[in-house]
Amino acid sequence: MSTLHIYNSKTRTKEEFKPINPPYVGLYVCGPTVYSYVHLGNVRSFITFDVVYRYLKHLGYKVRYVRNITDVGHLVDDQDAGEDKIAKKARLEKKDPMEVVQYYANDFHKVMDTFNALSPSIEPTATGHLIEQIQMIERIIKNGFAYEVNGSVYFDTIKYQEEKGNYGELSGRVIEELIENTRALDGQDEKKNSVDFALWKKADPSHIMRWPSPWSVGFPGWHLECSVMSTKYLGETFDIHGGGMDLKFPHHECEIAQSVAADGKAPVNYWMHGNMLTVNGQKMSKSLGNSFSPYELISGDHELLEKGFSPMTIRFFMLQTHYASTLDFSNEALMGAEKGFRRMVNAYKALQEIQPKKDACTLEKNWKDKCADAMNDDFNTPMVIAHLFDAVKVINSAADGKTELSADEIIYFQELFADYLVDVLGINPELEGASAGGDDTLDKVIATLIEMRQEARANKDFATSDAIRDRLLAAGVLLKDGKEGTSWEKTN
């Protein structure tokens, strides 16, 4: 079997994964700024790294997964001037900022549970690590890479670049071009250079969220918290740092600079970035009217959606595209994913019912190796799903009575689905109900109709038997007669 290779955004190549201290692995992922409901792009990113976490555990690694909560310091437009996003929402809703934080953090956790994402090992908050952030700023100042002006502290990007020469290595940005393209902002005149960024900002009298520091009563910069919390819990240099592609610059670039300036070490060995979402080929945005929340996607309550889709169908849909590729949402794509997912779940269900018909194994059982090779190739979930569909063909053939499986072969397929569909991809058919998107009541109703149809056939009442079959088909339920009895699946 192959070894795990990860595409490293920093080196722009796939590299064999070699943990710093095996079997232990440190994984840090930038979490949400909890001032609003989590958007679909965030959900995709967190599902991506949930799969990374799951697969590392599947390989036997002892993973410490740290995902932060940003509850201060993230200013509007991701700049160094203006209002804090959480404070702004608190003002608009006439609430305390920590009330806003708690509400949207709770909702974020609810969404993650809905999509069957595992909880991280540690979920630290920015406000819970203010002392450590102040201490890192002090180390950066001591090392000559930051300066204080009027109670605010800024990172000296030009001096850092002159001495370390690696600012822009992650994003590919050229510092001279950044200087030319930086637009004037409030407070910019305090900085030595336009590309310098805030480590600590003095709070003006209207700023709600403020704390004492050696420089002023103020608040930390947005980039600082991740440098502090990742290295506090994972070490000055750790294995994997993940996030969305939109965070590569400036957030992750600044993280590297801060850590090197404070402690003299590059903080991360493997940088991973997920790609963006589009809708019908266009960038998802509120201004275009094509942005929808996870709840709208589930309920179907949006003008661009014909219907709602179950959380496991949505997760399945997202993992059909590689995390580093753009994922395009459309009704057609979601409907296609739902149809494919039903086939997968029906095969999963059939595995529990197929009776072994022969003693010896005749199949070449290599699906597990193929799935492992796909995951080892930079977490290639679309290829894993393709291999599972190849297995579905064999299972369906046995369920229809066209071929036979031994007891060992049935166990093999059960293990394959348990390992890769449920444990690694995190797509649990049991969360859908046995009907892949329906509920137990629907299962019982259809089971009753199948029983009535069988009684009609036994009494040679073929008109009633055919009527039950045809009316179910018209309602979107296909009955399939096989040697093991009658099964069913949705057609729409």
Side-chain angles (χ1 to χ4, degrees):
M1 189 175 69
S2 59
T3 56
L4 175 61
H5 284 69
I6 298 174
Y7 181 83
N8 190 342
S9 298
K10 184 176 177 180
T11 62
R12 297 166 181 77
T13 58
K14 283 184 189 178
E15 300 176 4
E16 182 178 352
F17 178 59
K18 296 179 180 179
I20 296 169
N21 185 29
Y24 300 98
V25 171
L27 169 65
Y28 185 87
V29 174
C30 290
T33 300
V34 283
Y35 71 100
S36 66
Y37 295 110
V38 61
H39 65 74
L40 213 53
N42 291 145
V43 171
R44 186 198 182 190
S45 181
F46 296 131
I47 286 176
T48 290
F49 292 105
D50 181 59
V51 171
V52 171
Y53 179 36
R54 287 170 175 273
Y55 188 59
L56 290 170
K57 290 175 64 178
H58 175 78
L59 291 177
Y61 290 115
K62 299 182 185 300
V63 187
R64 177 176 285 182
Y65 174 21
V66 182
R67 186 185 65 206
N68 73 300
I69 294 285
T70 296
D71 58 356
V72 70
H74 194 170
L75 305 188
V76 175
D77 295 327
D78 300 346
Q79 301 292 346
D80 286 341
E83 199 168 7
D84 187 291
K85 292 184 177 185
I86 292 167
K88 180 179 179 180
K89 180 56 78 73
R91 177 174 53 79
L92 293 173
E93 296 188 357
K94 295 181 171 57
K95 294 179 179 178
D96 184 90
M98 288 301 110
E99 229 179 324
V100 170
V101 165
Q102 192 66 57
Y103 179 82
Y104 289 111
N106 288 346
D107 183 76
F108 169 68
H109 293 139
K110 181 181 176 182
V111 171
M112 291 297 97
D113 288 343
T114 298
F115 287 102
N116 198 32
L118 300 175
S119 297
S121 314
I122 303 173
E123 193 172 52
T125 63
T127 55
H129 295 77
L130 288 165
I131 292 174
E132 292 90 341
Q133 292 183 75
I134 289 170
Q135 290 172 341
M136 178 171 269
I137 295 172
E138 289 175 332
R139 296 200 302 277
I140 296 173
I141 292 174
K142 181 181 177 182
N143 292 335
F145 295 110
Y147 55 93
E148 184 263 334
V149 180
N150 299 326
S152 294
V153 181
Y154 296 98
F155 189 89
D156 193 334
T157 307
I158 300 298
K159 184 174 181 182
Y160 175 84
Q161 177 68 1
E162 289 173 350
E163 294 195 20
K164 302 296 183 180
N166 64 348
Y167 190 81
E169 65 177 353
L170 180 66
S171 61
R173 305 293 180 101
V174 178
I175 199 163
E176 289 78 14
E177 294 177 359
L178 290 172
I179 294 172
E180 291 178 8
N181 296 330
T182 303
R183 59 188 176 89
L185 297 166
D186 292 338
Q188 191 94 294
D189 56 328
E190 290 186 342
K191 300 179 182 181
K192 290 182 180 179
N193 301 287
S194 60
V195 290
D196 295 349
F197 56 91
L199 300 175
W200 186 268
K201 286 287 289 182
K202 180 180 179 179
D204 62 48
S206 65
H207 203 96
I208 306 173
M209 306 176 78
R210 47 204 289 153
W211 293 266
S213 78
W215 312 285
S216 65
V217 174
F219 55 93
W222 171 39
H223 312 305
L224 188 66
E225 63 177 282
C226 286
S227 288
V228 164
M229 290 187 282
S230 61
T231 55
K232 175 181 173 66
Y233 295 108
L234 300 176
E236 290 181 351
T237 300
F238 57 94
D239 296 301
I240 303 172
H241 192 314
M245 188 174 289
D246 58 319
L247 296 177
K248 189 182 291 187
F249 185 89
H251 188 55
H252 291 162
E253 197 75 72
C254 293
E255 278 189 57
I256 294 173
Q258 289 167 160
S259 293
V260 173
D263 302 312
K265 297 180 180 179
V268 181
N269 283 350
Y270 302 87
W271 284 91
M272 293 182 64
H273 291 94
N275 213 325
M276 63 184 290
L277 300 179
T278 57
V279 178
N280 296 316
Q282 289 185 303
K283 182 178 179 180
M284 184 181 292
S285 72
K286 290 182 180 179
S287 61
L288 293 175
N290 66 354
S291 175
F292 37 77
S293 72
Y295 297 119
E296 289 172 329
L297 194 56
I298 293 169
S299 68
D301 186 20
H302 193 284
E303 61 182 5
L304 294 179
L305 297 172
E306 295 177 12
K307 51 168 286 186
F309 299 89
S310 71
M312 289 299 96
T313 297
I314 296 166
R315 184 172 176 121
F316 181 81
F317 169 71
M318 287 184 172
L319 295 180
Q320 282 185 303
T321 299
H322 190 267
Y323 76 87
S325 299
T326 301
L327 174 63
D328 188 52
F329 275 81
S330 68
N331 273 298
E332 293 74 17
L334 286 162
M335 295 287 280
E338 184 179 59
K339 186 175 181 180
F341 183 52
R342 285 176 183 153
R343 282 183 56 221
M344 187 81 71
V345 174
N346 287 331
Y348 176 88
K349 183 172 111 175
L351 269 177
Q352 320 307 318
E353 301 173 356
I354 296 173
Q355 298 298 315
K357 294 294 185 180
K358 59 185 179 183
D359 296 327
C361 297
T362 58
L363 290 175
E364 183 181 347
K365 296 188 290 184
N366 60 354
W367 283 277
K368 290 182 183 178
D369 290 343
K370 288 181 177 180
C371 288
D373 288 341
M375 287 302 296
N376 285 338
D377 183 18
D378 193 31
F379 308 98
N380 194 335
T381 58
M383 188 56 68
V384 172
I385 291 172
H387 293 319
L388 291 176
F389 271 125
D390 287 340
V392 165
K393 295 176 185 176
V394 177
I395 295 165
N396 285 343
S397 179
D400 292 340
K402 296 176 183 177
T403 57
E404 296 180 347
L405 295 176
S406 69
D408 285 348
E409 287 168 337
I410 292 172
I411 291 172
Y412 177 87
F413 283 122
Q414 289 173 339
E415 291 176 347
L416 173 71
F417 277 73
D419 285 349
Y420 286 95
L421 183 66
V422 179
D423 288 348
V424 172
L425 298 185
I427 300 169
N428 190 347
E430 301 299 336
L431 298 179
E432 291 287 304
S435 61
D439 56 33
D440 291 340
T441 301
L442 178 61
D443 292 332
K444 291 173 183 176
V445 169
I446 295 178
T448 300
L449 290 170
I450 289 174
E451 186 176 336
M452 291 171 61
R453 178 171 174 262
Q454 289 171 339
E455 290 176 358
R457 293 174 73 181
N459 295 328
K460 300 189 184 303
D461 183 1
F462 298 113
T464 299
S465 169
D466 291 347
I468 292 172
R469 179 200 62 204
D470 294 344
R471 289 184 183 182
L472 281 173
L473 182 62
V477 175
L478 173 66
L479 299 184
K480 299 171 68 177
D481 296 317
K483 290 183 180 180
E484 304 297 328
T486 302
S487 61
W488 64 274
E489 64 182 43
K490 290 183 179 179
T491 61
N492 55 41

